[in-house]
Amino acid sequence: MDNYVRIFDTTLRDGEQSPGATLDAQDKLEIARQLARLGVDVIEAGFPAASPGDFDAVARIAAEVGTPGGPTIAGLSRATPKDLQAAADAVGKAAKPRIHMFLATSDIHMEHKLHMTRAQVLQRTSEMIALARSLCPDVEFSPEDGSRTDPAFLHEVLAAAIEAGATTLNIPDTVGFSTPTEIAALVRDIIAKVPGADRCIISVHCHDDLGMATANTLAALEAGARQAEVTINGIGERAGNAALEEVVMALHTRQSKYNLRTGIDTTQLLRSSHLVAGRTGISVAPNKAVIGGNAFAHEAGIHQDGVLKHQATYEIMRPESVGLARSRMVLGKHSGRHAFRKRLEELGHENLSEETLQHAFRRFKQLADQKKTVTDADLETLVADEIYQPPECYILRGVHVSCGSPSIPTATVTVTTPDEPDLIGSATGTGPVDAVFSAVDRVVGMRVELEEFAVHAVSGGAMALGEVTVRIRTLDEARRRFSAHGADMDIVVASARAYIAALNKAAVAAGIRPAGTKTITEETSAAVTAEIASVT
Ligand code: KIV
Ligand code: ZN
């Protein structure tokens, strides 16, 4: 058995099923490009039969990212001719296309969801895998809820799938119920007992309902699985999927234990994580393994002393190995453009456009004026805030807030719309952020509701840069969700930026044309005057 583990990334399919994650076609394409840079073997680009939008996104990724030498592009499909045809059509332009067909095999799913008998599921598997194989040379089969399926029946279904032409057999722990020893035994048994299993790649797909997705995935790989289905930041249905960065770094860091390798360029992990967090609006917890903001931060004096004496005392991975360059140079208000550019390059942002670089530099200078030192986390946030913004139908020009206790929070905002250069709106609210959002609503006139609002301090202390995530839902028939981020030293301004960015996503989806100018960051930052009056 070879020791190469194929990394099958399902951020764009299972990850997009995370509550609150909404990605438009452009987001998906950019994430797919980054996944290719990261070196994943397979990108599950979506579920083509789910909607025309999903189909188009998968087709675009197949054509633009699934080029020769690039990753395999997979499309998910139920076990129906219509779904299979849609998947085959959507991935057809990829140099290496794959159809991933699933059909539930546990008694509870067959009885209550599918209303099918075992014999019917067996027959459907054979027929639909054969059809899939006639449409595409690379076919993956997933017996959904595999870990809760009667093992004897599971073996029968898998044997039928192999017979009909499946090339990869994926064992999903759909509801995150399994344990490491159980899933290892399941995989070992499949390899030993299912006729033809040696001709296929055995894969696992673990959910994190009991917090064991990474452990289960690693146990399955030790038992002989050679494909891991994972997502960036571990996002996915309910509690999420096994996190790509955790599985990969466990194999990498504990190489002598596992003796397994992947094709992943681990220095792209942090960047991939930021991109996915930025685009989905699902932030990463600071204590998240490998890519969390605190993953390489040492707080206790004894730890700091140890790391200074020898890095390996408290660090099992080098920060550089996941793409976190350790700065020996502190950036502050005297740092020039050259040092700024160099630092960004060290952080992996080599290909920023001159325009983005200029905007980011201006914002860095404003930040450095208020804050003595600007950390790498601050820089990453500023750059992400510059790069990952949707086309601008509405441009925030200014925010003025008055609040305190006792007083009625009142906000005035100035916004450029596609029709008017400077529209001014005012509103009161339960707090300064609520007042700003109501004022923006008055100017913009889109009917949306705020579903989620979260503030995260990027670096410590009262001088921290604040990063705000908002999720809105349109109040039209489509009821679509859009998430976005905004960053600023002033959290009211950061909130306004995030809210406008979410409205811009909704506006683009509704076909509203972008406003003429494109100078949001520079002008916004310069013009914004947030005034918090504390009245006691
Ligand atoms: O969790 C699951 O069972 C899935 C399948 C479609 C593989 O996502
Ligand atoms: Zn899943």
Side-chain angles (χ1 to χ4, degrees):
M1 189 181 292
D2 71 12
N3 71 348
Y4 185 76
V5 174
R6 288 128 193 102
I7 298 296
F8 176 114
D9 182 278
T10 182
T11 305
L12 296 175
R13 199 277 300 168
D14 216 324
E16 214 218 357
Q17 288 172 223
S18 303
T22 35
L23 297 167
D24 58 32
Q26 190 57 30
D27 293 333
K28 288 184 185 178
L29 194 61
E30 273 169 43
I31 291 174
R33 287 202 181 108
Q34 177 58 24
L35 291 172
R37 236 175 268 135
L38 179 63
V40 306
D41 301 276
V42 186
I43 295 176
E44 184 163 53
F47 185 177
S51 72
D54 276 47
F55 181 96
D56 290 345
V58 176
R60 254 184 100 181
I61 291 169
E64 294 180 35
V65 185
T67 48
T72 296
I73 307 297
L76 186 71
S77 167
R78 287 167 294 197
T80 66
K82 200 165 144 274
D83 267 37
L84 290 169
Q85 190 62 56
D89 291 345
V91 297
K93 290 248 158 64
K96 288 179 279 173
R98 175 180 294 186
I99 294 179
H100 176 194
M101 187 192 98
F102 70 98
L103 183 61
T105 51
S106 66
D107 287 335
I108 188 163
H109 276 234
M110 289 188 296
E111 183 184 339
H112 297 288
K113 190 182 79 173
L114 297 178
H115 307 294
M116 286 170 81
T117 63
R118 287 187 176 192
Q120 286 170 326
V121 166
L122 204 55
Q123 190 184 351
R124 174 82 67 89
T125 303
S126 293
E127 287 171 6
M128 292 302 116
I129 290 288
L131 175 61
R133 205 35 219 274
S134 72
L135 300 170
C136 182
D138 183 351
V139 173
E140 172 170 333
F141 172 61
S142 286
E144 193 190 7
D145 207 15
S147 60
R148 292 195 301 168
T149 297
D150 167 25
F153 180 58
L154 182 65
H155 293 179
E156 249 188 288
V157 180
L158 292 176
I162 298 170
E163 178 79 29
T167 42
T168 298
L169 302 177
N170 177 48
I171 312 304
D173 183 24
T174 302
V175 289
F177 184 72
S178 200
T179 68
T181 45
E182 283 173 1
I183 202 150
L186 190 65
V187 167
R188 250 184 236 112
D189 256 18
I190 289 168
I191 294 171
K193 296 183 184 157
V194 175
D198 55 331
R199 298 198 304 272
C200 298
I201 300 295
I202 307 298
S203 166
V204 276
H205 175 111
C206 299
H207 279 272
D208 207 31
D209 299 65
L210 293 172
M212 290 192 276
T214 298
N216 285 341
T217 303
L218 292 168
L221 295 175
E222 272 192 291
R226 286 295 175 267
Q227 176 176 283
E229 299 203 355
V230 287
T231 58
I232 300 288
N233 299 342
I235 63 171
E237 190 78 43
R238 303 182 311 282
N241 291 60
L244 181 150
E245 61 278 3
E246 292 178 11
V247 171
V248 166
M249 286 313 287
L251 296 179
H252 188 90
T253 309
R254 302 301 309 277
Q255 163 69 25
S256 59
K257 173 182 164 51
Y258 290 110
N259 190 28
L260 294 171
R261 62 194 177 88
T262 70
I264 296 296
D265 172 0
T266 62
T267 64
Q268 292 290 331
L269 285 173
L270 202 63
R271 206 156 166 204
S272 309
S273 166
H274 286 159
L275 177 61
V276 170
R279 291 300 166 114
T280 58
I282 300 175
S283 312
V284 171
N287 62 334
K288 166 83 177 61
V290 181
I291 40 82
N294 293 345
F296 294 93
H298 303 280
E299 182 72 20
I302 293 175
H303 288 208
Q304 289 179 349
D305 183 54
V307 170
L308 287 174
K309 285 178 176 145
H310 195 296
Q311 191 175 22
T313 50
Y314 287 99
E315 274 182 5
I316 59 165
M317 299 168 261
R318 294 185 70 87
E320 297 83 350
S321 68
V322 302
L324 181 68
R326 193 159 262 175
S327 180
R328 263 158 274 107
M329 179 171 61
V330 177
L331 289 188
K333 68 177 180 181
H334 300 298
S335 306
R337 199 179 294 267
H338 180 68
F340 177 74
R341 182 195 291 263
K342 187 156 183 305
R343 188 81 209 103
L344 288 184
E345 282 171 5
E346 284 167 8
L347 291 171
H349 300 286
E350 304 98 356
N351 301 321
L352 295 182
S353 70
E354 264 317 304
E355 194 192 4
T356 305
L357 207 67
Q358 270 200 21
H359 290 166
F361 183 66
R362 225 167 256 136
R363 289 187 69 191
F364 155 71
K365 279 294 198 185
Q366 286 163 1
L367 188 64
D369 259 348
Q370 299 167 63
K371 203 170 179 270
K372 217 168 151 227
T373 53
V374 178
T375 65
D376 286 348
D378 291 331
L379 286 181
E380 289 279 9
T381 306
L382 277 189
V383 171
D385 200 43
E386 289 297 329
I387 303 174
Y388 307 135
Q389 291 298 343
E392 295 167 307
C393 299
Y394 307 108
I395 302 173
L396 184 66
R397 298 288 180 195
V399 181
H400 179 99
V401 178
S402 156
C403 65
S405 174
S407 86
I408 297 172
T410 310
T412 304
V413 298
T414 311
V415 174
T416 293
T417 71
D419 304 312
E420 297 271 352
D422 277 326
L423 272 181
I424 297 178
S426 294
T428 56
T430 52
V433 172
D434 184 44
V436 167
F437 289 2
S438 299
V440 170
D441 285 344
R442 279 206 181 148
V443 174
V444 166
M446 286 182 76
R447 290 185 57 243
V448 301
E449 67 186 0
L450 181 69
E451 281 200 335
E452 202 172 291
F453 171 79
V455 186
H456 159 64
V458 174
S459 41
M463 302 299 275
L465 186 66
E467 189 179 29
V468 172
T469 304
V470 300
R471 191 174 76 229
I472 59 168
R473 190 161 193 182
T474 59
L475 291 173
D476 55 7
E477 252 180 33
R479 308 264 308 147
R480 293 185 65 185
R481 292 190 162 104
F482 300 92
S483 302
H485 285 295
D488 201 279
M489 281 281 281
D490 184 321
I491 59 161
V492 177
V493 177
S495 305
R497 291 176 61 84
Y499 192 59
I500 288 273
L503 289 175
N504 276 329
K505 284 191 173 181
V508 170
I512 297 174
R513 82 190 142 83
T517 42
K518 201 193 173 308
T519 52
I520 180 171
T521 44
E522 161 195 349
E523 293 187 20
T524 302
S525 301
V528 160
T529 51
E531 181 186 288
I532 314 288
S534 289
V535 183
T536 46

